Amino acid sequence: MSSRSCGGAERPDEWILRGNHRDAWVFGASDPLSGHVAMLAEAKAFGALARAGHRPRRTLMYLSWDAEEPGLGGSTEWVETHAAEQLKRKAVAYINTDNIERGLLNIEGSHAFERLVTQAADDVLDPETGVSLAARLRGAWRVAASRPGASDTARARAKTAADRSQNLPLSPLGSGSDYASFICHLGISSLHFSFGGEGHSAGVYHSAYDTWEHYTRFDDPGLAYAGALAKLSGRVVLRLAQAELPPQRYSGFANLLATYLGEIKALTERKREEASVQRTLLKEDLYRLADDPRRPRGDPTPLSPVPWLNFAPLDNAIERLKVSALAFDAAVSAKGLDLSPATKAELFAMLAPLEQALTDDRGLPGRPWYRHLIYAPGRFTGYGSKTLPGVREAVEEERWSDAERQVLTTAEAIQAYASGVERARRLIVPDAFGDA
Ligand SMILES: [Zn+2]
């Protein structure tokens, strides 16, 4: 790993971290250098600003990771080394990129940053259509959701996208690039940006054919999307570094948590229904009738009965967060600009580490290194994300006592997070009875 930092002029102990790996299986023109050149372009631009006398208010740290391909080695070692002393206290956010190619913007990360990302994506043009990245994405999502067989998630996203007053929803983070240690292990708010879907990197990914020649002919001729990436993540980095008020907004996150919990409840219901139907079929000996009598497969293994789980602690925690989020979002929009510089700075500092409240030091069942209770890669899905992973995977794998415990642990974390949002709101609008 190598890093360069530009110390903040006013708030040097608030760090904006920006990284991309530089190791590759072979030549790595696409993976990782297409993202790495964008990162270096940003660093170059910030260097020029610094030489011209414009130091950022907060510290920018540019991180070029080694050993990503064998298992996120460089970033993981660095995060573990600096976790307790530095990162938990100082990190505001980590912004990651990796391989990209022509195509649509893909945005993943901590939901509280949806407004920040949407505003940046409104300000950068898609190199080939000439409309903003955000406008193209909103259009593409709506078209995708209109096609036969579109998923519920795609339809919900299109509905949000159709309303220009709403932020672009971020996809939850799983794993597969260097953000994993920041978000999953420490609970540092993280973002990951890429472009894709219209290049031809799929067949050459991780092979000796991932070359400059192939990349500049087929994946991103003229490196136009690398330029767009630098403009997008550079804006996000700079706005985080310069912001007077915290950019976080919480209502979108609270609503998504309710959606995630709804999915888990529906999964539990489905399992209960399946087990009950199977019990009837077994009792009436119907599998024997459905079998080929000359080649019988026999009865299936009976599904275990699904207990009634008490999701109320999570329902209550999410409901409280919805209320706190709405109050904070409204207060910061209405009154934030009128606050004194000292209160603005206090507010920013208060919310920067708040995502860490969503972690549990004991970690997820069976994998204690993964501590975030909202986002994790699935135990069996590789890179794919599982939201509310402690509860969701316990239900999927029918570990019912783990499910009960994880409901409580996750609910406690969301309650603590809501308390943080409420403290921040009281800093803007003190309660009527004076408990500011
Ligand atoms: Zn990569």
Side-chain angles (χ1 to χ4, degrees):
M1 203 281 306
S2 59
S3 70
R4 289 287 180 279
S5 63
C6 179
E10 294 168 35
R11 316 274 303 169
D13 284 339
E14 291 172 354
W15 293 358
I16 317 300
L17 305 152
R18 167 75 174 97
N20 196 112
H21 74 97
R22 68 161 185 280
D23 63 302
W25 284 122
V26 193
F27 306 114
S30 162
D31 181 9
L33 296 176
S34 55
H36 201 275
V37 293
M39 181 175 81
L40 290 183
E42 291 164 44
K44 191 175 170 188
F46 292 135
L49 283 171
R51 274 193 302 280
H54 305 292
R55 292 190 76 76
R57 303 182 68 212
R58 300 186 176 84
T59 295
L60 305 185
M61 197 173 286
Y62 273 73
L63 303 143
S64 171
W65 307 116
D66 197 358
E68 191 263 7
E69 296 293 3
L72 315 181
S75 55
T76 303
E77 290 296 323
W78 190 82
V79 164
E80 287 180 345
T81 303
H82 299 292
E85 282 302 303
Q86 307 270 15
L87 292 171
K88 284 188 178 181
R89 284 190 295 117
K90 298 180 178 176
V92 173
Y94 172 68
I95 296 114
N96 190 73
T97 55
D98 200 327
N99 51 318
I100 59 156
E101 60 174 10
R102 294 178 59 236
L104 290 175
L105 177 64
N106 179 33
I107 44 180
E108 300 166 71
S110 302
H111 293 307
F113 282 136
E114 284 176 355
R115 180 170 168 272
L116 172 76
V117 173
T118 301
Q119 288 178 340
D122 274 332
D123 292 347
V124 178
L125 297 183
D126 174 70
E128 297 193 19
T129 61
V131 303
S132 76
L133 295 176
R136 188 169 182 214
L137 196 53
R138 286 180 194 271
W141 281 347
R142 292 173 68 186
V143 169
S146 75
R147 295 202 166 115
S151 68
D152 288 350
T153 314
R155 279 204 297 275
R157 198 170 58 179
K159 206 170 153 206
T160 310
D163 177 355
R164 297 242 163 188
S165 70
Q166 299 231 42
N167 296 319
L168 297 170
L170 299 175
S171 304
L173 284 171
S175 185
S177 195
D178 292 299
Y179 53 76
S181 308
F182 290 92
I183 183 117
C184 300
H185 188 53
L186 293 191
I188 290 168
S189 299
S190 299
L191 292 166
H192 177 71
F193 302 136
S194 63
F195 290 99
E198 294 167 358
H200 296 276
S201 66
V204 306
Y205 178 64
H206 285 177
S207 83
Y209 299 98
D210 181 6
T211 59
W212 166 259
E213 179 68 23
H214 186 276
Y215 189 77
T216 51
R217 262 188 200 223
F218 302 111
D219 292 343
D220 184 16
L223 303 183
Y225 282 88
L229 184 65
K231 288 174 193 166
L232 178 74
S233 57
R235 273 170 173 76
V236 169
V237 166
L238 197 56
R239 287 172 190 183
L240 281 166
Q242 299 300 91
E244 292 186 23
L245 286 167
Q248 292 93 333
R249 295 294 183 275
Y250 297 101
S251 297
F253 178 45
N255 292 333
L256 273 171
L257 284 178
T259 306
Y260 297 152
L261 179 59
E263 292 166 0
I264 299 173
K265 287 180 182 172
L267 174 65
T268 316
E269 280 312 303
R270 208 160 52 241
K271 279 180 169 288
R272 177 172 300 113
E273 175 74 17
E274 280 166 13
S276 144
V277 167
Q278 194 211 41
R279 259 197 313 282
T280 310
L281 300 182
L282 283 169
K283 211 163 86 194
E284 296 181 16
D285 201 19
L286 300 183
Y287 288 99
R288 191 174 55 79
L289 301 187
D291 252 348
D292 176 343
R294 296 189 185 180
R295 279 175 295 172
R297 283 170 299 180
D299 284 353
T301 312
L303 296 169
S304 55
V306 175
W308 291 94
L309 295 171
N310 178 17
F311 290 111
L314 264 176
D315 280 311
N316 289 327
I318 294 170
E319 207 50 42
R320 176 178 168 196
L321 181 61
K322 279 188 185 174
V323 174
S324 329
L326 217 53
F328 170 84
D329 291 358
V332 77
S333 296
K335 308 249 169 80
L337 288 172
D338 303 334
L339 299 172
S340 70
T343 309
K344 286 178 185 166
E346 189 183 343
L347 200 59
F348 190 101
M350 189 186 263
L351 293 178
L354 183 60
E355 184 144 352
Q356 294 175 42
L358 297 173
T359 60
D360 177 13
D361 287 344
R362 292 164 294 183
L364 295 173
R367 44 176 182 159
W369 189 86
Y370 288 88
R371 296 176 181 164
H372 207 300
L373 296 167
I374 311 299
Y375 314 107
R379 281 191 341 137
F380 303 110
T381 58
Y383 292 174
S385 175
K386 294 274 180 181
T387 50
L388 300 172
V391 183
R392 189 186 296 267
E393 290 197 322
V395 169
E396 286 173 350
E397 297 165 24
E398 304 184 1
R399 292 181 274 109
W400 304 118
S401 52
D402 273 351
E404 294 274 13
R405 273 195 298 274
Q406 286 295 310
V407 164
L408 292 174
T409 307
T410 309
E412 267 171 38
I414 295 171
Q415 292 278 5
Y417 188 81
S419 298
V421 174
E422 286 158 19
R423 270 197 306 280
R425 195 267 304 155
R426 284 199 295 271
L427 205 57
I428 310 170
V429 191
D431 282 341
F433 301 107
D435 64 336

